[in-house]
Structure formats: structure tokens, C-alpha cells
Amino acid sequence: MADRVYPRDDSPPQTTELKPPPPPPPPQEEEDQAHHPESPRKLAGPQSEKPVQPPSGTYVIQIPKDQVYRVPPPENAQRFERLSRRKPRRSHCCSCLCWFLSFLAAFLFLVGLSAAILYLVFRLESPDYSIERVSISGLNLTSSGPISPEFDVTVRANNPNNKIGIYYEKGSSVNVYNDGVKMAAGSLPVFYQDKNNVTVFVTSLKGSAIELTSGVRTALVNGVSKGTVPFNLVLRAPVKFKVGSVKTWKITVKVDCDLTVDKLTASAKIGSKSCDYGVDLW
């Protein structure tokens, strides 16, 4: 077997220096080299000189720090999803209130419509009232003790409607005042007034143990001496209008009369009178 002959090297001998073996490549680089043997191996330099490049096919997106949102923990995310799928439910009280307001609005609309139809069809006119006579007793101004006056008031009620009758119901009130002091009180009789009718009735008003101040007593004495004692009569009467065979709901008739009499006796005469009247539909 022949020996191998190597060419002679005439160059001067060089000092050989032992170098440590290179570190083994990372697993990722070995795997890349296994798949791509032709690609040259890149030696990573110091990190301070050259940043590490991301793997191929990877993008690096830089976002400002104030726009980075933290990912909520799983339990919060599940709670948010559960609450977002929950349907809003109205409380029972809110539903009842809505139904009540709807019913009230519908009722008021029907009542207003009925009143408008009655007015347009039957030309409803408000009744008018006047005070015809006043008889007074029990007003003794010579004594300083309490008084118990009585008033018999004759009232004239006129129903000008040609197709509508009036029922005067219970619960009426008639009060007589002098300078803001209630002198007597009473009520109207219960009766039915036919259409296009004038009714005159007498209502008795009584007061009990009324204490008069010195100023009120002096004003009454001065009024008697002048023949003009002022009084204020306030009347409230619940009525129902009859249209054919149908009755309406209760409507309150209001009458306010200012009048003067010449003396405080049974034969007193009315000097002046002025009455305002109207109705409350509700």
C-alpha cells in the first residue's frame, strides 16, 4: 500500500494558536439550516451593536403606550358578556304607573269629548241664581256675649235650558260671612228642576255661639246706623244634568253674592246685590 505524499510547503512555519470551538447554534437556527441548507448562517453580533431581527414572516407593530388596553381577566370578561346579554326589565310599579296614566288620559279625553258633544248638540247653558230676600234674627249687638244668628235666605234658581233638567243632590253648602267672619251656615234642599224652569226656595242658615271682636261689632253697629250692612253669601251645590233619560256625573254649581241690608231684623230689605256664578266640571 503506497503512502500518500503531501506537497511541501516552503512558507515559513506559522504559529498555531488554539481557539475555543464556536458555541453550538440555537435549536431554531439548526432547524432552519436543516430546512434551508443553502442559506448561509448568520452570526449574531453583540446586541448593543445590532438589534435582533424577527423571524421571517413576522411583523412588528409599534403602538403608543397610552393606546395599549389591558386584557381583562377571564371572570370579568364572562361577567360583562352575561350582563350585556341580559334584557332590561321594567319594574312592576313602573308598569302599573304607565297603565294608570294611560287610563287617566283616555278617561279625560272621553269626558271632554262627551262635554263637547253635549254643548254642541243641546247648547248647555249654566243656570243662574239670585238672592230675593233675607230675613235675620238673633243678631243682638247690645250684648257683649256670643251670638247665635239665623238667616232665612230666599234664592231664585233659573234653568234656561230647553232640553236639560237639573238634579240638586245632597252635599250642598250655603254660608254667610261678614268681614270674613262666618255668621251662619246651611244647605240647599234636594229637588229636581225641570227644563226651562224658574224655582224659588228658602234655605235656613244658623250660627251658634259666635264670638265677635270689638272691631266687627263696631262695624255692624255703624252699618245699621247707615242702613248698609254688608254680607257675603257663598253657595256650593252638586248637581246632575238630565239629558233625555241619561244623567251626567256630578257637577258643582258655584254662587258668590255680595249684598247689603238696611237692618238686622226679620223685615230687613236688600239694598244692593251682585252675584257671580259658575260651574266646576270635575
Side-chain angles (χ1 to χ4, degrees):
M1 186 178 216
D3 295 332
R4 291 185 180 181
V5 180
Y6 293 90
R8 181 181 176 181
D9 189 3
D10 295 335
S11 60
Q14 298 179 354
T15 304
T16 57
E17 187 177 356
L18 295 179
K19 296 182 179 180
Q28 181 65 30
E29 294 180 1
E30 291 180 2
E31 186 176 350
D32 292 341
Q33 290 179 4
H35 288 287
H36 306 281
E38 70 279 4
S39 60
R41 179 180 174 183
K42 298 181 179 179
L43 298 178
Q47 294 183 359
S48 59
E49 296 180 0
K50 185 177 181 181
V52 179
Q53 298 295 330
S56 59
T58 304
Y59 297 92
V60 178
I61 301 176
Q62 295 183 355
I63 302 176
K65 186 177 181 180
D66 57 348
Q67 297 183 9
V68 177
Y69 298 95
R70 296 183 179 179
V71 178
E75 59 272 12
N76 289 358
Q78 295 175 1
R79 183 182 179 188
F80 173 76
E81 183 179 0
R82 184 172 61 256
L83 293 177
S84 61
R85 287 184 299 182
R86 182 182 299 176
K87 295 182 179 180
R89 296 179 299 177
R90 294 183 178 180
S91 63
H92 182 69
C93 295
C94 182
S95 301
C96 292
L97 181 60
C98 292
W99 278 105
F100 174 75
L101 292 178
S102 301
F103 173 78
L104 182 62
F107 175 75
L108 293 178
F109 174 76
L110 292 177
V111 170
L113 182 62
S114 302
I117 293 174
L118 286 175
Y119 177 78
L120 293 176
V121 174
F122 298 98
R123 296 296 179 181
L124 176 63
E125 297 183 33
S126 175
D128 58 86
Y129 303 87
S130 61
I131 307 301
E132 298 296 315
R133 188 173 181 275
V134 177
S135 176
I136 304 172
S137 61
L139 259 175
N140 186 7
L141 301 178
T142 59
S143 174
S144 60
I147 60 175
S148 298
E150 296 183 6
F151 292 76
D152 291 333
V153 181
T154 302
V155 181
R156 180 180 182 272
N158 176 29
N159 178 16
N161 297 283
N162 295 324
K163 299 180 180 180
I164 299 175
I166 302 175
Y167 284 94
Y168 287 84
E169 304 286 331
K170 294 181 180 180
S172 63
S173 64
V174 183
N175 300 316
V176 174
Y177 297 87
N178 175 264
D179 197 16
V181 179
K182 182 187 290 189
M183 308 296 291
S187 61
L188 297 180
V190 177
F191 66 98
Y192 171 72
Q193 186 177 20
D194 202 359
K195 55 192 175 185
N196 198 16
N197 174 266
V198 176
T199 302
V200 178
F201 55 89
V202 179
T203 178
S204 296
L205 313 177
K206 295 181 180 181
S208 176
I210 298 175
E211 297 282 351
L212 297 179
T213 63
S214 58
V216 173
R217 191 182 297 272
T218 302
L220 288 174
V221 172
N222 293 336
V224 171
S225 62
K226 295 178 181 179
T228 56
V229 182
F231 289 100
N232 174 249
L233 185 141
V234 178
L235 183 150
R236 298 291 183 269
V239 300
K240 289 184 178 180
F241 292 96
K242 180 183 178 183
V243 183
S245 59
V246 179
K247 290 183 181 180
T248 65
W249 61 94
K250 283 187 179 181
I251 298 173
T252 303
V253 173
K254 304 186 301 180
V255 181
D256 293 337
C257 290
D258 293 325
L259 55 94
T260 60
V261 294
D262 58 347
K263 49 190 173 182
L264 302 177
T265 62
S267 59
K269 294 182 180 180
I270 297 176
S272 63
K273 58 183 177 180
S274 173
C275 295
D276 295 328
Y277 49 88
V279 295
D280 280 341
L281 296 179
W282 319 113

